[in-house]
Amino acid sequence: MAHRDNVVLDVDERPAPWQWFGLSLQHMFSMFGSTVLVPILVGLNPGALFSSGVGTLMYLLITKHKIPAYMGSSFSFVVPMMALMKTTGYPGIAQGTIAVGCVYLIVSVIVTLVGSQWIDRILPPIVVGPIVVVIGLSLAGTAAKDATINSATGHYDLRFFAVAMLTMAITVIFNMYFKGFLGLIPILMGIVAGYIIAVLFGIVDFSPVAHAHWFSLPDFQIPFVDYHPQLYWGAILSMAPIAFVTMTEHLGHIMVLNELTERNYFKEPGLNHTLAGDGTASIIAGFVGGPPVTSYGENIGVMAITRVHSVYVIAGAAVFAIFFSFIGKLSALIESIPSPVIGGISFLLFGVIASSGLRVMIENKIDFNEKRNLMISSVILVIGIGNAYLQLGKYQFSGLAVAAVLGIIMNLILPQKAKSEM
């Protein structure tokens, strides 16, 4: 496929070896915090790094090396996994994780049979644009909390805010004023510089690094090796339905990648392949000791800022994740990156995703003088960003999922013109 003028490295282009290292490391840093945070919250060993790397490589294989998406731990399953840890332990979580992957595979088969032409009808620009904005801005609160609140005290910390702002500023400077290789890795340079600043501000704890072993096996939890599984219907029924929630988020990420790379991944390699890739990655996670995985907005943000869309770079990040999962001190060093550094970077990553949604609406000339467009976008934006979630018993559907469903329904049932406009 021809190289696009506004892109530094297109999807199918391979970087030079010395570039490859830095670009892939940048992606690994971007997803690391969230990917290991999920198992930490649940009470699992952060072996999720290994499963995310292997899952990403499998995803790239199933999608024919055409979609630059990274698979990281999904936050949508944290609540049911925390409950299961108190009852069944990881064996129940493993079955739920595998069930989630199977739901993806079943939907993938259905899409293969009925086709994906319906996507263009239910997801026009007036629905896609606001959903993409929500994907970026719904995470704004997390970024702001990382940048301001000291988790040790639970209170506002001016040092945290200063580190976040300086990290953000340095990242912007590298992105705007540097050419060549340094201009391609502003996120990595921002994280490194932010880490050094955080050390100077005295907010980095090196004790986990000192105590970590150089070489340590990930805490694999393999059925019939580490435990003897039985059928946990409660675990399956509590986790499998949430697959439809993460599927909505996955579709949103594919929409962003479509706009970013100027392709239509719903048609080639096809929605069936992208769903099968995501589902297979979760099944792999369930067999090795990780939580369910899904595509990551952080990595999409990196691609949007750097204009490097290469699947080779994503594959390199996955290999790094696998490698680092065996090197205890390296993993501990990356885990020691304080939250304000991540917060400062996230201001840009999440903001760029939101800006991509605005671009969708601008490029498609969405007319907000039309009441129909105003109604649809208003509902999606406020419900999604405000996270007006739906709680049905044990199941929680995020504000993003609710907003996406409502936007699709409104688009299908509202007339093209309001009566007052006729």
Side-chain angles (χ1 to χ4, degrees), residues 68-148:
Y70 192 92
M71 301 288 118
S73 307
S74 174
F75 281 86
S76 300
F77 300 91
V78 166
V79 174
M81 285 195 295
M82 288 173 77
L84 287 169
M85 277 300 283
K86 296 173 184 174
T87 54
T88 67
Y90 186 75
I93 292 175
Q95 278 193 19
T97 300
I98 293 167
V100 166
C102 289
V103 170
Y104 269 83
L105 294 183
I106 291 167
V107 175
S108 170
V109 171
I110 294 170
V111 170
T112 302
L113 296 174
V114 304
S116 57
Q117 296 82 2
W118 48 273
I119 290 175
D120 290 334
R121 173 159 165 70
I122 70 167
L123 294 172
I126 184 54
V127 176
V128 172
I131 287 175
V132 174
V133 172
V134 167
I135 289 171
L137 295 188
S138 62
L139 297 166
T142 303
K145 183 179 178 182
D146 283 344
T148 56

Side-chain angles (χ1 to χ4, degrees), residues 7 17 27 30 34 89 108 170 225 253 268 278 297 355 369 389:
V7 171
H27 271 280
S30 299
S34 297
S108 170
I170 290 167
V225 175
H253 288 157
E268 181 58 40
D278 202 326
S355 300
N369 286 319
Y389 61 88

